[in-house]
Each structure stands twice: as structure tokens, then as C-alpha cells.
Amino acid sequence: LITLATVLGVALTVSMGRWQLNRAAEKESLQASMDAQSSKHLVDATALLAAPDPLTLVHQHAWLRGQWLADQTVYLDNRQMHAKVGFFAVTPLRLAGSDHVILVQRGWVARNFEVRESVPAIQTPGGSVTIEGRIAPPPGKLFELGSPSVTAIRQNLNLQQFQAQTRAPLLPVILVQTGPASEGLLRDWPAVNLGVE
């Protein structure tokens, strides 16, 4: 009986080890694919709009010109940067020469915990702007109690719901703005890393 238990234990351990190695290989492959995407040429609005599926451009760097739709800025709650909780400010950008809109995750800003309903003061330039960033899938969802909010402060951002609310032809990807802190926003985004180790 002890011998059988030992054999089963060894078999189970070997099986788990192989599973871990397979997972590591999958992650290495995916990380290599992400690194290859980020090393491709810069995407501009023309390339973005011409892509049959914009999701194929995820992780590529982009320079996009357009105009902010500042009155439609939303603040995604409970987002962290430097171990502090605050908001990700997300503002739609109408692409120059087009009616199409892309959501831009502009940066992180601290929350006022004394007046929880207040939105932070950030600057949003008027007129034409050029934004540098990387193409990304929509922001990840956090656990949310009750029905999704449609106010300026939200726990999550559903692209279909936002498109219906704004009636803007919204692209299925977002742009995560990069560069130094500005306009009251921090942009110390962590490097995209799958943790192969």
C-alpha cells in the first residue's frame, strides 16, 4: 500500500511539473509575441482605421492626432499606481480627419476620499493634440456590486455601453498614453510582463 501511494505521489508530482513547464512555454511564446508587436513600426490613425481587426495591433506603439471629447471623460475607480488607490482617467479622442473615436487611458490621478463623489481636477487641452501610447485591449474588469454605473466615476468600462451612451463610432481597442506625467496625471505604467518565472 505504501509503495502504491509512493508511485502515485511521484506520478502526480511529475505530471504537475510537466504542466508547469507547458504553462511556462506558453507564456514565453506569448511574451515573445508581445515583444515582437511592440517592436513593430508606429501605428498612426490611417493604419489603425485600415486594420481589418484593430485587436491585431495590440501592444504596438502609436502616435494619434485628434481632438479630446473632454466632457465624456470617465474615471475608473479603485485603480492603483505606486501602491496608492485612485482613478484611471479615460477620455475619448476623435481621430483627425475621421468620425471614429478611440478611448485613451490618459493616466492615474489620486482620489479625494473625503468627498468620494468628486472627480479630480485634470487638464484637457482643447484643439488638435498628438498622443503617444500603445494600443491595448479595453481595461480589465474589477468586481462590481450592483448594476454598472454610467456616471463619470465607474468601476468598469463596457465599450458597447459607452458607445451606446455617447453615440460615437468607437474602436474596439484603447490607447494607453505614455510619456512623462502631465495634465495632473501620472503615467508610470508597469511593463507588460507575463511572469514566466
Side-chain angles (χ1 to χ4, degrees):
L1 192 60
I2 293 174
T3 304
L4 179 61
T6 303
V7 169
L8 288 174
V10 168
L12 180 63
T13 304
V14 169
S15 173
M16 298 275 291
R18 285 188 177 167
W19 177 79
Q20 285 282 12
L21 289 172
N22 287 341
R23 286 286 296 143
E26 288 173 14
K27 285 189 173 189
E28 284 175 344
S29 175
L30 188 53
Q31 186 71 53
S33 173
M34 289 165 44
D35 294 343
Q37 280 287 94
S38 66
S39 67
K40 289 183 179 177
H41 64 281
L42 285 171
V43 173
D44 61 9
T46 304
L48 181 59
L49 294 174
D53 180 5
L55 288 168
T56 60
L57 302 175
V58 166
H59 303 299
Q60 284 189 243
H61 295 281
W63 282 87
L64 300 178
R65 210 172 83 252
Q67 186 169 0
W68 292 121
L69 304 179
D71 61 328
Q72 296 176 18
T73 298
V74 294
Y75 299 87
L76 299 182
D77 200 2
N78 295 313
R79 308 300 164 128
Q80 292 191 14
M81 190 167 284
H82 302 302
K84 294 181 182 173
V85 177
F87 298 110
F88 284 170
V90 179
T91 305
L93 180 76
R94 177 172 287 122
L95 297 173
S98 169
D99 289 333
H100 284 85
V101 171
I102 186 169
L103 291 177
V104 180
Q105 187 172 302
R106 296 175 57 199
W108 179 92
V109 62
R111 171 170 208 155
N112 180 345
F113 286 98
E114 294 176 7
V115 186
R116 293 189 61 85
E117 304 80 29
S118 69
V119 295
I122 62 172
Q123 297 85 47
T124 304
S128 180
V129 295
T130 301
I131 307 301
E132 177 185 1
R134 65 177 170 78
I135 306 293
K141 287 191 169 191
L142 300 180
F143 179 74
E144 184 171 16
L145 291 173
S147 58
S149 171
V150 292
T151 61
I153 297 175
R154 303 176 186 206
Q155 185 72 11
N156 295 300
L157 184 58
N158 180 293
L159 291 190
Q160 288 81 13
Q161 179 191 50
F162 191 78
Q163 180 166 321
Q165 182 183 342
T166 60
R167 297 192 176 121
L170 200 60
L171 293 171
V173 291
I174 69 166
L175 183 75
V176 176
Q177 187 174 355
T178 55
S182 65
E183 302 161 352
L185 295 160
L186 296 178
R187 300 187 184 96
D188 297 332
W189 309 117
V192 179
N193 189 324
L194 297 176
V196 174
E197 61 279 352

